[in-house]
Amino acid sequence: MNPRPWIRLAAALLLCGTFATAAGAQDVVPQSKTQIELTFSPLVKQAAPAVVNVFTRTVVKERQSSPFFSDPFFQQFFGDQFGGKPRERVQNSLGSGVIVRPNGLIVTNNHVIENADEIRVVLSDGREFPAKVISADEKFDLALLQIDTKGEQLPILQLRDSDDLNVGDLVLAIGNPFGVGQTVTMGIVSAVARTNVGVNDYGYFIQTDAAINPGNSGGALISTDGKLIGINTAIYSRNGGGSIGIGFAIPSNMVARVIDAEAGGGKLVQPWIGVSGEVVTADIATSMRLSHPGGIVVRQLYPGGPSEKAKIMPGDVIVGVNGREVSDPGGLRFRLATLQIGTEATINLIRKGQKLDIPVSLIKAPEQPPRQETQLKGREPLAGAVVVNLSPAVSDELSIGEWQGVAVQKIRRGSYADQFGLEPGDILVKVNGSAISSVDELVAAVSASTDNWTITINRGGESKTIEVH
C-alpha cells in the first residue's frame, strides 16, 4: 500500500484541527479529497529561502601533553608559556540562521558562532558569504550576523508574537541537522514556558516535538502562517544522541528585543525592578493558603528601588507581568527582558488573598558599589577565580538573587578554584571564619599564610563549605 495518502490525511487532520481551533469552531474530519491532500509544500517554499547554514572555523591552540603543564602550581610560577610552543588545530562546526532583514541581517544562536575566527553563511540557493558578528549575547544565547548583499534584497521571515502561541499548535522546524542540508520537520508545541532548562540565563523556551538535531541550532521554528515564532536552540537527548522529541526554541519576542536593541545602536540591557524572591512550592502555597503552587513570593526589596517605591511588599506573590503568567523567577526575568527600559510594567500579584495590579517603573540595574573585578592569584584554593563586588547590575548578569557580598564571576580552567569545585555565581560568605562583604576583605583574607582553609559559599540559596588541608 502506498503510504502517501495516509501521511496527507494525518497532515490534513492536524491542519483542520488547528484551523478549527483558531476559528473557535468544533474540530471536524476532512470532508473532501481536497482537504485530505493538503500539504505543507507552499509554506516551506515561502519560508525556506530565509533559513541559512552557518559554518564556523576556529583555530584552537594546544600545548604538548604532560601532566605538569596543566598543574596550577607550575602555572602560577611559569604562566601560560609553560609547556613549550603551542600547536594549532582547526575546529569546524555548523549551525543554522534566519534572515530577518532584507539587507542580510541574520539571527542565530550565540553558541553557534562563539569564539569563531571565521564565519561563513550559505544561502538556500547555494551562494556563500563571509559574515561578521554585529552583536552576541551569551546570557540570551542569541547573536546577529551581517552579510554584504551588494544591495540585493534577500527573502526574510517575519516575526510573530510568540505570546499568541498555544500548546498543541502545529509548527515546522527548518535547519541543517548533521550537515546533511536544509531539512524540514513537523511537530506540535509541547509547552510554551519551559524554564530551568540550563541553556541560557534567561531560560524561557518553547518546547516542541518537531525533530531538532545537532546543526539545527539557530534555525527557524515557524507557525502555520509562515512566520518565525522561535529560534531552535537545544534538545534533550540521551547519551549525547539525536532528537527524542524534546526540543527547545527561544521565543520570537526575545529575538525581537535583541534586533530592536541592535537597531538602536546598543546591546540589549534588561529592565530591573528591584525585587527578589523564590518560587512558590506546594508547601509554601499551603502555608500561605494559596489555591495552587506557582509564582514568586517576594522576600527582599532593594531599598529605594522601583518595587519598593511602587509599594510592593515582602510576602506578596508575583503571578504575572502585564497579564502574562509567570510561575518562577526565570519566567519573571524573561518577561521583564522583553520590555523597554523607561516604560512601566503592570505587576500582577496576590496579597493576603487579594489580586492586585501594581504599575512599576522599569530602570537599568544600578552598579553600586563598583564591581572591582579582581583575579585571585597565589597558592590558595581561590586562585584562578575572578571575583566582583555584588550590585544589582552584577546580580542580574550572574542571575543571582542577592545584591550584597562578593561573587565569583568566572574561573580559569585548570586553576585551584576550578579543581576545588567553585563555580561562576558562587557567593563567598566566609574565609577561615572571617565574614566577607567586599573584594578588599576577600583579598585580605586569602593573603593570610596558612595550610588549612575553610571557605563557606552560597550557591543557589544553599550554604556549602569547602575544606582544604
Side-chain angles (χ1 to χ4, degrees), residues 18 49 69-70 162 224 267 280 334 338 346 358 361 377 389 461:
T18 300
F69 297 159
S70 58
S162 53
T224 51
K267 188 176 182 180
V280 176
F334 169 80
T338 61
T346 299
I358 299 181
S361 298
K377 301 178 181 180
N389 288 320

Side-chain angles (χ1 to χ4, degrees), residues 282-293:
D283 290 341
I284 293 176
T286 299
S287 68
M288 298 184 70
R289 297 182 180 180
L290 299 172
S291 60
H292 57 81

Side-chain angles (χ1 to χ4, degrees), residues 8 104-105 111 127 195 200 226 245 326 343 352 371 420 459:
R8 289 179 175 173
L105 184 67
H111 73 258
R127 287 183 294 167
T195 56
N200 61 28
V326 297
T343 63
K352 297 180 179 179
R371 65 183 64 201
F420 290 127
R459 179 180 296 169

Side-chain angles (χ1 to χ4, degrees), residues 317-324 326 346-350 356-358:
V317 177
I318 298 175
V319 294
V321 176
N322 291 340
R324 299 289 183 179
V326 297
T346 299
I347 303 299
N348 315 117
L349 58 82
I350 299 174
L356 300 174
D357 297 327
I358 299 181

Side-chain angles (χ1 to χ4, degrees), residues 108-366:
T108 186
N109 287 133
N110 177 71
H111 73 258
V112 169
I113 55 88
E114 191 173 22
N115 300 322
D117 295 306
E118 181 182 353
I119 304 171
R120 301 195 70 83
V121 167
V122 180
L123 305 186
S124 62
D125 60 12
R127 287 183 294 167
E128 186 173 333
F129 296 85
K132 63 178 181 179
V133 178
I134 300 300
S135 67
D137 199 312
E138 184 179 0
K139 296 193 299 297
F140 302 105
D141 195 21
L142 289 171
L144 294 177
L145 309 178
Q146 183 69 59
I147 61 175
D148 185 1
T149 66
K150 307 298 184 183
E152 179 184 352
Q153 299 292 288
L154 299 180
I156 68 168
L157 275 181
Q158 293 183 343
L159 274 63
R160 173 179 166 177
D161 184 354
S162 53
D163 285 337
D164 290 340
L165 202 61
N166 295 301
V167 174
D169 282 352
L170 194 65
V171 291
L172 301 178
I174 308 177
N176 182 17
F178 298 109
V180 300
Q182 193 173 82
T183 302
V184 182
T185 55
M186 181 192 75
I188 64 169
V189 174
S190 307
V192 294
R194 281 284 185 253
T195 56
N196 301 316
V197 174
V199 177
N200 61 28
D201 293 342
Y202 288 77
Y204 192 92
F205 296 90
I206 299 167
Q207 181 183 329
T208 178
D209 67 350
I212 297 174
N213 287 290
N216 269 114
S217 287
L221 189 69
I222 65 172
S223 52
T224 51
D225 60 0
K227 293 183 179 179
L228 183 71
I229 56 168
I231 295 295
N232 299 321
T233 297
I235 61 172
Y236 177 84
S237 64
R238 295 191 180 101
N239 302 320
S243 173
I244 59 172
I246 303 177
F248 302 99
I250 298 173
S252 58
N253 285 2
M254 190 72 256
V255 177
R257 282 285 288 118
V258 172
I259 295 172
D260 290 344
E262 187 277 331
K267 188 176 182 180
L268 177 60
V269 178
Q270 62 273 17
W272 178 80
I273 61 172
V275 64
S276 68
E278 60 182 310
V279 64
V280 176
T281 62
D283 290 341
I284 293 176
T286 299
S287 68
M288 298 184 70
R289 297 182 180 180
L290 299 172
S291 60
H292 57 81
I296 303 104
V297 58
V298 175
R299 297 302 190 196
Q300 187 179 9
L301 297 166
Y302 190 80
S307 291
E308 187 183 67
K309 290 180 179 179
K311 308 301 183 185
I312 292 178
M313 302 178 180
D316 289 347
V317 177
I318 298 175
V319 294
V321 176
N322 291 340
R324 299 289 183 179
E325 181 182 351
V326 297
S327 57
D328 56 28
L332 177 61
R333 286 197 300 271
F334 169 80
R335 288 296 172 195
L336 293 176
T338 61
L339 303 176
Q340 297 276 358
I341 289 176
T343 63
E344 278 190 347
T346 299
I347 303 299
N348 315 117
L349 58 82
I350 299 174
R351 177 182 297 165
K352 297 180 179 179
Q354 182 181 5
K355 294 182 178 179
L356 300 174
D357 297 327
I358 299 181
V360 177
S361 298
L362 303 180
I363 68 171
K364 180 180 178 180

